[in-house]
Amino acid sequence: MESNQSKPGLLCNPEGSQRTLYPYVTGTSVVALKYKDGILMAADMGGSYGSTLRYKSVERMKPIGKHSLLGASGEISDFQELLHYLDELILYDNMWDDGNSLGPKEVHNYLTRVMYNRRNKFDPLWNSLVLGGVKKGQKYLGMVSMIGVNFEDNHVATGFGNHLARPILRDEWHENLTFEEGVKLLEKCMRVLLYRDRSAVNKLQISKITEEGVTISQPYSLKTFWGFSAFENPTLGAEGSW
Amino acid sequence: MTPISPHKPAHFCLHQSSLSYSHLTLSSPFLILAYDKIAVASHHLEPMRKGKRKKKPSPGSSQRERERESQSHLLEQKENPNKNRHSFTERERHCDFFLERETKNDAVKMFRNQYDTDVTTWSPAGRLFQVEYAMEAVKQGSAAIGLRSKTHVVLACVNKANSELSSHQKKIFKVDDHIGVAIAGLTADGRVLSRYMRSEAINYNYTYESPLPVGRLVVQLADKAQVCTQRSWKRPYGVGLLVGGLDESGAHLYYNCPSGNYFEYQAFAIGSRSQAAKTYLERRFENFTGSTREDLIKDALIATRETLQGEKLRSSICTIAVVGVGEPFHILDQDTVQKLIDAFEIVQDEAPAAEPDAGAEPAAAAEEGEGSGAGADQAAVPEPDVAPMDI
């Protein structure tokens, strides 16, 4: 992280102050849930530039170390910077080479500290993060927001997913979902988001993390149905509308 | 008369660097006396010495030099290439040798020599004497003992108060719920290092919401100690630390020494008379992995008793601390410890054959008998529980 001392001029000069004001290239929701063997997480591959769906192959979920999986929505460049910090963290952890390793709980807390500190400097990392993992049979799923709010739960979602996906999860989630049930549930949530979230693209990945490790699926598309009668000839009866 | 260095009392050998203080002209009566004694004796030694002095070190003699150095530092001084320091008479060089010979019995194993002034000076044999002296300081402290099983670590130490009026020296510190440390040596250094350990543990917990793995703390401590062995304006920490703790890879016991080295142990003892405890532990350590908590504490108490060499073991002179799975680090209170002591000492008094762990008891009793004759103590009327006046 650059020190403020190295840029005294910029600090004093209000026009040159360096802090995040608004995001540019953003990813939309991430949805995740705990199932029998671990965590399932889903995110689409879109990077929006404002209202343009500009990038359609952005991987928004990455494995962290041996035990964790991180998904992010919000500013993609900030997500990449976070990955850089986590890389270094995991590297130093591995360098100890002593049989201890950072688990999902530790990574989650570390991320909370980073996000909260940045927020205190009025220079947030504009992301909502979902951190899931399994260590020694213990499943862990948590979320950190850009202002450092963090919590753990059995199912989490970011952005629009909070409003559209979580109600579905609250109704239909239960302990010990099988892998197939979990995937079906996630796809249901992602389909709703696809229909209703304008920054969603129909190309998604589902990843799972278990005691054995992380698997991120190949990108695929969901089947959608647009054959509603109201969509046929939509301008019928709207004289003079465009 | 050529002056002798005023700094050195007669019972230390005068070594080369002191003799370079020839510009000083102090002549205390005491030193004159010593010098005279030496001058007289020098006659007898002169012929032999002459011969020795003439020997120049040959190129292949570095091995010999090393051997000689470790045996007698005086000879090393004689063959030292710093010829410009030889601004004194034969007689003075004599007096080094004589004094050393005379006082060899009194001297500690470490001799004073010209390579021990600061920690950044190597000796020709590749030793840092200041670091070794720091390890001697650890041996001067009262004993501290540690043992571990698969699930528990027990730390025990002998607490001697300076007098009846004073309180005991605190030697066991809690670093975190899952780590504790017992110290031997300079307790002030130990206190400072415990504070460092506590701060590291708490910082780790704050960032990661998870207890600091013991192995990592120990490495940080060792690196901190190493720094002090490589700066001319610092001195090594004069304290040995027995760090015991639990983490996800199990129970651990480490020993950190002032040199910056650390080792992991199944059981270990440091401080004065720790050899007796180590001997006891060496006999029993193979069983420790599977020991129960109670057996481990009992072994710790017996090992502590070994270091007391005859004195009766009472809870007022020892401290026991335990950490284990599901049990945060805590120091056992006096009553609990006294009850444990009474329990196994009563067992000691009863016929060993009657006990289920008869195998252990006679062995312990035998060691007792050899080392201390404390068997008699236990049978005797219990003395009033008084702290000793002096160590």
Side-chain angles (χ1 to χ4, degrees):
Chain A
M1 304 255 263
E2 73 282 314
S3 83
N4 287 329
Q5 283 162 351
S6 61
K7 302 185 191 135
L10 287 171
L11 248 192
C12 307
N13 183 356
E15 284 139 25
S17 80
Q18 309 257 331
R19 56 190 192 86
T20 308
L21 298 168
Y22 17 76
Y24 288 91
V25 181
T26 57
T28 183
S29 348
V30 177
V31 191
L33 47 81
K34 281 188 193 167
Y35 78 108
K36 187 164 59 98
D37 304 325
I39 311 289
L40 277 170
M41 200 184 290
D44 69 24
M45 298 191 74
S48 313
Y49 186 61
S51 47
T52 313
L53 298 177
R54 185 154 173 198
Y55 302 105
K56 300 199 186 151
S57 296
V58 180
E59 278 207 33
R60 297 196 288 119
M61 295 184 293
K62 294 282 182 190
I64 309 290
K66 290 196 287 266
H67 306 283
S68 320
L69 181 61
L70 175 67
S73 68
E75 175 63 60
I76 300 296
S77 62
D78 283 347
F79 176 53
Q80 289 170 347
E81 196 179 329
L82 269 170
L83 289 177
H84 180 73
Y85 291 150
L86 286 170
D87 233 358
E88 211 177 307
L89 181 75
I90 298 294
L91 179 71
Y92 280 117
D93 189 43
N94 290 339
M95 271 164 61
W96 281 104
D97 198 16
D98 63 349
N100 292 305
S101 54
L102 292 173
K105 179 171 181 198
E106 286 84 22
V107 177
H108 183 226
N109 230 68
Y110 172 78
L111 285 170
T112 308
R113 292 287 120 239
V114 169
M115 301 299 272
Y116 184 67
N117 267 300
R118 290 291 296 255
R119 165 260 199 189
N120 284 341
K121 291 188 211 163
F122 281 94
D123 183 16
L125 290 162
W126 208 286
N127 290 112
S128 284
L129 304 168
V130 174
L131 199 296
V134 193
K135 192 170 177 206
K136 291 215 167 82
Q138 297 274 57
K139 299 186 284 243
Y140 187 91
L141 181 60
M143 208 187 96
V144 192
S145 78
M146 75 186 234
I147 55 171
V149 175
N150 79 320
F151 55 90
E152 255 189 87
D153 208 340
N154 293 321
H155 47 82
V156 296
T158 68
F160 259 91
N162 268 314
H163 302 108
L164 300 175
R166 290 201 80 189
I168 302 176
L169 291 167
R170 280 186 210 120
D171 275 344
E172 302 189 20
W173 184 90
H174 59 87
E175 284 278 357
N176 295 321
L177 287 163
T178 66
F179 175 68
E180 290 74 25
E181 285 173 353
V183 171
K184 249 176 76 180
L185 192 49
L186 274 181
E187 282 186 349
K188 187 169 179 183
C189 298
M190 294 305 283
R191 187 172 288 114
V192 171
L193 284 166
L194 179 61
Y195 283 135
R196 294 292 174 177
D197 182 0
R198 71 124 185 232
S199 32
V201 298
N202 195 3
K203 186 174 170 192
L204 70 144
Q205 291 177 303
I206 294 198
S207 62
K208 78 170 203 287
I209 178 164
T210 62
E211 194 74 54
E212 281 83 51
V214 176
T215 329
I216 303 183
S217 73
Q218 289 292 78
Y220 68 100
S221 304
L222 294 168
K223 286 209 187 70
T224 55
F225 178 71
W226 299 95
F228 297 103
S229 55
F231 293 161
E232 282 157 35
N233 214 355
T235 53
L236 187 71
E239 292 290 331
S241 67
W242 41 270
Chain B
M1 119 198 162
T2 329
I4 302 169
S5 160
H7 303 281
K8 314 292 186 278
H11 68 275
F12 280 115
C13 74
L14 296 171
H15 55 84
Q16 197 114 18
S17 59
S18 74
L19 293 166
S20 65
Y21 299 145
S22 51
H23 59 282
L24 296 166
T25 54
L26 188 76
S27 51
S28 84
F30 174 64
L31 290 168
I32 292 172
L33 188 66
Y35 183 79
D36 283 344
K37 210 160 97 178
I38 290 141
V40 165
S42 69
H43 282 305
H44 306 287
L45 300 169
E46 214 151 302
M48 180 179 73
R49 299 296 297 271
K50 252 202 190 114
K52 270 205 175 137
R53 241 188 327 112
K54 283 204 177 117
K55 233 184 252 167
K56 299 267 189 288
S58 53
S61 75
S62 54
Q63 170 66 26
R64 233 184 320 133
E65 265 199 18
R66 268 198 293 277
E67 281 166 24
R68 256 192 253 123
E69 197 223 330
S70 59
Q71 287 159 27
S72 164
H73 291 283
L74 183 66
L75 290 172
E76 166 207 305
Q77 293 154 31
K78 293 225 145 323
E79 271 135 16
N80 189 283
N82 285 353
K83 295 290 180 222
N84 52 1
R85 283 180 160 198
H86 290 208
S87 55
F88 39 81
T89 64
E90 232 170 90
R91 274 215 197 117
E92 274 160 60
R93 272 190 271 151
H94 248 293
C95 71
D96 297 347
F97 184 85
F98 182 77
L99 283 168
E100 195 189 296
R101 267 253 230 97
E102 194 177 64
T103 60
K104 221 172 194 146
N105 299 331
D106 312 322
V108 287
K109 291 184 208 88
M110 300 273 166
F111 295 117
R112 298 209 51 197
N113 57 68
Q114 61 186 292
Y115 304 112
D116 68 355
T117 317
D118 60 59
V119 76
T120 52
T121 305
W122 289 97
S123 84
R127 293 156 73 175
L128 287 170
F129 282 106
Q130 280 295 310
V131 175
E132 295 183 18
Y133 296 164
M135 312 232 270
E136 282 295 310
V138 175
K139 294 182 201 164
Q140 303 299 325
S142 57
I145 295 156
L147 324 75
R148 73 165 159 116
S149 73
K150 200 144 175 248
T151 52
H152 288 79
V153 182
V154 176
L155 295 173
C157 67
V158 172
N159 284 38
K160 297 277 182 94
N162 284 334
S163 76
E164 268 187 68
L165 299 168
S166 81
S167 65
H168 296 300
Q169 186 67 269
K170 186 169 171 169
K171 281 164 58 83
I172 296 191
F173 298 90
K174 174 171 170 167
V175 168
D176 201 346
D177 283 336
H178 67 295
I179 304 181
V181 61
I183 65 172
L186 264 54
T187 42
D189 284 359
R191 210 178 49 238
V192 161
L193 285 176
S194 315
R195 193 182 314 134
Y196 169 75
M197 292 163 80
R198 284 172 177 165
S199 135
E200 289 299 302
I202 239 179
N203 284 337
Y204 187 92
N205 206 328
Y206 176 69
T207 313
Y208 301 104
E209 275 264 343
S210 165
L212 173 58
V214 194
R216 297 189 185 189
L217 176 62
V218 157
V219 173
Q220 283 170 282
L221 251 182
D223 288 345
K224 195 171 158 71
Q226 190 277 341
V227 168
C228 298
T229 67
Q230 213 175 5
R231 307 276 184 270
S232 61
W233 62 90
K234 289 188 176 222
R235 64 156 177 86
Y237 287 107
V239 63
L241 301 135
L242 277 174
V243 182
L246 240 57
D247 60 30
E248 61 179 23
S249 44
H252 297 278
L253 175 69
Y254 292 92
Y255 170 53
N256 276 65
C257 57
S259 61
N261 282 331
Y262 68 96
F263 307 94
E264 187 166 2
Y265 287 96
Q266 188 73 43
F268 199 53
I270 55 176
S272 69
R273 294 186 231 122
S274 58
Q275 190 51 53
K278 270 192 262 195
T279 315
Y280 172 77
L281 293 169
E282 272 166 27
R283 263 171 251 197
R284 308 268 308 210
F285 77 94
E286 269 141 6
N287 303 326
F288 287 165
T289 314
S291 268
T292 61
R293 177 184 179 275
E294 286 64 36
D295 280 342
L296 211 64
I297 298 177
K298 193 173 85 174
D299 278 320
L301 282 165
I302 297 176
T304 315
R305 190 175 54 193
E306 296 296 311
T307 66
L308 294 172
Q309 296 205 340
E311 216 187 306
K312 186 164 162 52
L313 179 66
R314 297 184 299 283
S315 63
S316 57
I317 55 168
C318 71
T319 311
I320 308 279
V322 189
V323 62
V325 173
E327 189 182 350
F329 183 88
H330 63 109
I331 296 176
L332 300 181
D333 64 289
Q334 292 255 19
D335 293 329
T336 320
V337 177
Q338 190 58 51
K339 285 202 190 78
L340 289 162
I341 294 174
D342 295 336
F344 79 75
E345 289 201 344
I346 290 168
V347 161
Q348 200 85 14
D349 287 343
E350 289 175 11
E355 279 304 308
D357 48 346
E361 291 314 315
E367 285 156 21
E368 279 274 286
E370 286 160 19
S372 45
D377 269 353
Q378 291 150 21
V381 172
E383 301 138 34
D385 199 334
V386 168
M389 285 295 284
D390 214 352
I391 295 174

